[in-house]
Structures are given as C-alpha cells and as structure tokens.
C-alpha cells in the first residue's frame, strides 16, 4: 500500500511540475506524446477507483504478477482505447485542464487506495484478486509510466527508488528469473519491458533470460 501511494504521488507531482511545452514532447510510449500519456493516467486513475469499489466474493484468480498479460509483440497502436486516448488528450487543448483532471481524479484514487482493506477481494477485467495484489500490480504501472514520462524530459524527477526496486522484483517474478545484479533497477525495467534495447554486453550478462525478453505487459 505504501509503495502504491509513494509511486503514485511522485508521478502526479512530476506531471504537475511540467511546463506547457512538455506536453507536446514525445513520451516513452511509442507513438504517444506526453499529453497522451497523461490522459492515459487519468483513465488509469478511473480504473483504480472503479476496481476498488467492485467487490468480489469468489477466490482470487490472479495475483500481482499473473494479473499482467504478457503479449508476444509490442502494441501496434491500433487498439480502439489507445486511439480514443489520443483523441481525448488532444481535446483538452489547454494542458492545465489535463493536469487538473489528473490531480482531481488521481487524488481520489490515492485516497481510495489508502482506505481500502488490503485483504479484500476486488474484480477487474473478469479477474479476481486481493486489493493488496491489485495495488502492487499498479506500482509497476506507475513506475513504468513515470519512466515513460521522463524518457525525453531528463530534467523531470524520476520515479522513487523504492518504487523502482519493488517494480523490478515484480517484473522478475513475471519473467521467472532475476536480472543480473549489474543491472540497476531502472535499466532492468527499461530493458525488461522493451523500452530500451540491451547492449551486446548486457545481452551476454542476461544469458538465458535474454531469450524471454522483452516482456510486453498489458
């Protein structure tokens, strides 16, 4: 729960500090501008709110790791929701409106997460999992998108160290193997999810794990 709150607060603070021109810069999500990414975060925050008030009474079907679907290839950008996100982001026109919406809905999502019972079960995407596992999965979501936000904005503060470490641990569980100790948490996440191509030396260090990467999470 603490990792969720810390990661989410840091990401929202980073967005709040962006100058208007930054919203027209590319993000680390292929084909998306920063404004598109921020609009996606608004939708994410709405999903958190919806999920936390959608109780389930059956046994969990997934945990924080198996919640993630691993695709065989990177998104092609033709998903209807992705297209809607881009159109919606453009409709805001004034970045201040988009920032305000994220702060408004994002703050509510943060408060809801803090009030939720970690042992309670919730339902989302036809799956059931505990609140604790759901929020842990979202630490990875926030951390990866914080890296996306700062991909071409190196002056913007990046994700907190504890979020990077927790996300790396979860990604290693999803991958079924640890990353080499020589990989920093940030590089493990970038290389592990295909956001950066490993160098020849890094590929050699990855060994058998290299064949399983990148992991396209959805």
């Amino acid at each position: 729960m603490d990792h969720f709150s810390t990661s989410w607060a840091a990401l929202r603070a980073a967005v709040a500090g962006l100058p208007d021109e930054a919203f027209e810069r590319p993000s680390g999500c292929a084909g998306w501008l920063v404004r598109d990414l921020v609009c996606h975060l608004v939708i994410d925050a709405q999903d958190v709110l919806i999920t936390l008030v959608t109780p389930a009474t059956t046994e969990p079907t997934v945990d924080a790791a198996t919640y993630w679907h691993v695709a065989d290839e990177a998104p092609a950008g033709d998903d209807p929701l992705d297209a809607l996100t881009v159109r919606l982001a453009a409709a805001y026109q004034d970045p201040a409106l988009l920032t305000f919406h994220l702060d408004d809905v994002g703050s509510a999502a943060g408060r809801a997460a803090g009030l939720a019972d970690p042992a309670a079960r919730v339902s989302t995407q036809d799956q059931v999992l505990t609140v604790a596992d759901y929020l842990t999965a979202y630490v990875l979501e926030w951390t990866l998108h914080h890296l996306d936000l700062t991909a071409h904005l190196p002056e913007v503060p990046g994700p907190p160290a504890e979020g990077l470490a927790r996300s790396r641990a979860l990604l290693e569980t999803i991958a079924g193997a640890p990353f080499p100790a020589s990989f920093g948490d940030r590089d493990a996440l970038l290389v592990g999810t295909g956001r950066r191509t490993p160098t020849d030396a890094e590929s050699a260090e990855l060994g058998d794990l290299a064949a399983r990467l990148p992991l396209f999470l959805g």
Side-chain angles (χ1 to χ4, degrees):
M1 304 279 282
D2 289 342
H3 293 311
F4 174 95
S5 298
T6 301
S7 299
W8 187 218
L11 178 51
R12 284 163 35 225
V15 172
L18 294 176
D20 286 356
E21 59 269 21
F23 286 79
E24 300 303 317
R25 298 280 297 278
S27 76
C29 293
W32 273 10
L33 301 175
V34 166
R35 72 181 185 192
D36 304 324
L37 172 60
V38 175
C39 189
H40 172 74
L41 295 177
V42 172
I43 296 171
D44 266 353
Q46 291 172 339
D47 285 345
V48 169
L49 282 169
I50 292 168
T51 299
L52 291 178
V53 293
T54 306
T57 56
T58 57
E59 290 297 315
T61 56
V62 293
D63 59 20
T66 55
Y67 165 86
W68 292 99
H69 170 70
V70 181
D72 294 330
E73 55 187 24
D78 54 359
D79 181 89
L81 181 57
D82 289 345
L84 173 62
T85 299
V86 172
R87 292 198 301 272
L88 181 59
Y92 276 93
Q93 296 185 343
D94 184 354
L97 296 176
L98 183 53
T99 301
F100 172 79
H101 198 181
L102 177 62
D103 180 65
D104 194 32
V105 181
S107 295
R111 290 193 298 272
L115 293 170
D117 176 3
R121 299 168 191 168
V122 291
S123 177
T124 181
Q125 300 179 50
D126 297 323
Q127 300 284 7
V128 174
L129 70 171
T130 65
V131 166
D133 276 329
Y134 177 68
L135 297 181
T136 296
Y138 258 85
V139 174
L140 179 56
E141 173 83 355
W142 302 146
T143 302
L144 289 175
H145 283 326
H146 202 147
L147 292 172
D148 292 332
L149 179 73
T150 59
H152 301 283
L153 298 169
E155 70 280 5
V156 176
E162 56 266 40
L164 287 166
R166 186 66 189 88
S167 296
R168 176 198 182 131
L170 182 56
L171 188 64
E172 289 178 336
T173 300
I174 297 169
F179 287 86
S182 60
F183 277 60
D185 295 337
R186 181 178 182 275
D187 286 324
L189 292 169
L190 293 175
V191 170
T193 60
R195 285 166 164 81
R196 180 172 75 74
T197 302
T199 65
D200 290 343
E202 287 173 332
S203 293
E205 285 190 82
L206 286 167
D208 293 341
L209 179 57
R212 306 181 211 173
L213 302 179
L215 302 171
F216 300 116
L217 304 179

